[in-house]
Amino acid sequence: DNPLLFIMPANDLHLIANFKDNTGFAAGFGMEEYPWEITNITQLNLVREYTGSLHSDKHFRLMNDLWFLEPPHQENWEPIGFYDPVTPSGFQGDFDGGNNTIHNLYVEITDPLVSSIGLFGSIENATVKDISIVNASISGYHNFAGILAGIAENSTIENCHVQGEISTTQRAVGGLIGNLYAGITTGCTGNVYVTGDEDVGGLIGMIDGGGSVTECHSNGMVSGTNYVGGLVGYSLGTVSASYSGAQVWAENGGAGGLIGQSAGDIFHSYATGDVSGEGNGFGGLVGNSGSNIYNSYATGNVTATENDGWYVGGLVGYQYYEREVVNCYSSGTVAGYSFTGGLIGRLSTSHILHSHSTSPVTGLYAVGALVGRSYNAHIEKSYALGIVMNYGGTRSGGLVGMMEGGEIND
C-alpha cells in the first residue's frame, strides 16, 4: 500500500516521500525536501497540531484545490494557531499552497477568548506562499481578522490571493491579513468587501513594527470608522509598487484610496477608487500622512460630507511631520468643507516638489487648486490646473487657499 521509490544520486541512496508516515497526511515527512502533502480538508485540519516554536521546522504543501461546503451547509472553520503574547502559539512553519485554491472558507467566531481569525489565526516567524482563497466569508467580534490570517508576525507572505467578504466590529481588519507586524508581504492581491471599526484595509488592516508591502493590489469595498484604506488601514511600515481600486468609506475620517493613516514611506504606488465619508482627513491616496511619498498618484474622487469635512485632498487629506511629497499628482474631483485642496487639504511643515493637480475643487473655507491650507511649508516646482469653487466662504486660491508662513518657489 505504500510504494517506495529509490534513487541513487552521487552514490547515495535516498528514500523519497510517496511513503506515508503515521501523521495522517497524504505523503511526506514534514521536511523541506519532503513536506507533508495535503490533499483534503481533513489533512488541512491536521496542520493545527503543528503550531508553536516546537514545530517551526515543519513544512506543508497543498497538492490540489480544496472545497468546503457552500451555504447553507457551510462548515465553520476553526483558525489554525492563535495569538498569545506570552507563549507564541501561532503557525511557525512553512506552508506552500502549490498555486492551488481553497474554496468557500467560512469562519464565524463568537467566542471572545479567540484573539485572531482567518484560515490561520496567527502566523509567526513563518512563510506562507502561493495560495488563493476564494468565496470566503469571515465574521466575528475580534481584533485581528483577515481571510488568510488574523496576525502575521515576522513572517513572509508571498503570492497569496483572496476574494470574498470579511466583517468584524473591532480593529485591525484586512482582506488578506489583519495585522502585519515586522513581516514582508509581496505579490499578494485581494478583492474583498471589508467592514470593521479602526485600522481597516482592503488587503492589510494594520502594518506595524516596520513591516512592508510590495507589488500588491486590492479591489472591492472597504468601510469603517477610523483609519480606513483601500489597501492598508493604518501603516507604520513601507508600501511600494502597489495600488488599489477599492471604494473607501469612513464614518469619522482618516480615509485614503491606498492608506487611511500612514507614518511609513510610500513609493511608486497609486489609487483609483473613490473615497468618501464624514469627519477629517480624506485623501485620494492617503487620508492622514506623516510619510514621505514619492512617484505616486490618485485618480479617484474624494468627497467629505458638507459641514463636517476638514482636511480633504485629491492625493492627501493632511500632510505633516516635515516629510516630502515628490513627483506626485491627483486628478479626481475633490469636495470638502474646510482646508480642501486639489493635491493636499492641509500641508504642515512639509515639502511639495515636482507635483501637480488637475482636480476640480469645491469647498467653503481655505480652498486651493493645489493646497487648501499651507502652514510653514515649502512648495517648489509644482502647479495646479483645476477649477476652484468656493460656495460662499472665504480664502480661495488658484494654487493655495490659505498660506501661513513657508514659501512658494518657481
Side-chain angles (χ1 to χ4, degrees), residues 36-116:
W36 278 318
E37 296 180 1
I38 298 167
T39 61
N40 56 47
I41 292 172
T42 299
Q43 292 164 358
L44 179 65
N45 199 40
L46 291 174
V47 175
R48 72 181 66 258
E49 304 298 327
Y50 301 92
T51 58
S53 59
L54 289 178
H55 301 290
S56 62
D57 60 342
K58 300 302 188 295
H59 294 256
F60 306 83
R61 182 178 175 87
L62 184 61
M63 304 304 294
N64 48 258
D65 290 359
L66 298 181
W67 295 79
F68 287 91
L69 295 176
E70 295 187 62
H73 306 293
Q74 67 266 31
E75 305 156 84
N76 194 2
W77 176 258
E78 180 185 345
I80 297 170
F82 60 91
Y83 176 68
D84 186 331
V86 178
T87 305
S89 303
F91 176 78
Q92 296 193 21
D94 181 286
F95 189 96
D96 181 355
N99 292 311
N100 292 301
T101 301
I102 295 176
H103 299 259
N104 307 323
L105 175 69
Y106 179 83
V107 181
E108 182 180 12
I109 304 294
T110 58
D111 184 351
L113 298 180
V114 176
S115 58
S116 50

Side-chain angles (χ1 to χ4, degrees), residues 293-296 315 323-329 343-344 347 350-356 370-371 378-383 409-410:
I293 306 176
Y294 302 103
N295 304 303
S296 299
L315 188 81
R323 300 298 190 258
E324 58 183 6
V325 175
V326 181
N327 291 327
C328 295
Y329 73 88
L343 191 75
I344 297 174
L347 179 69
S350 291
H351 183 198
I352 297 176
L353 176 65
H354 292 301
S355 297
H356 71 273
L370 190 76
V371 177
H378 184 194
I379 301 171
E380 182 179 1
K381 294 181 172 64
S382 299
Y383 65 92
N409 294 325
D410 297 323

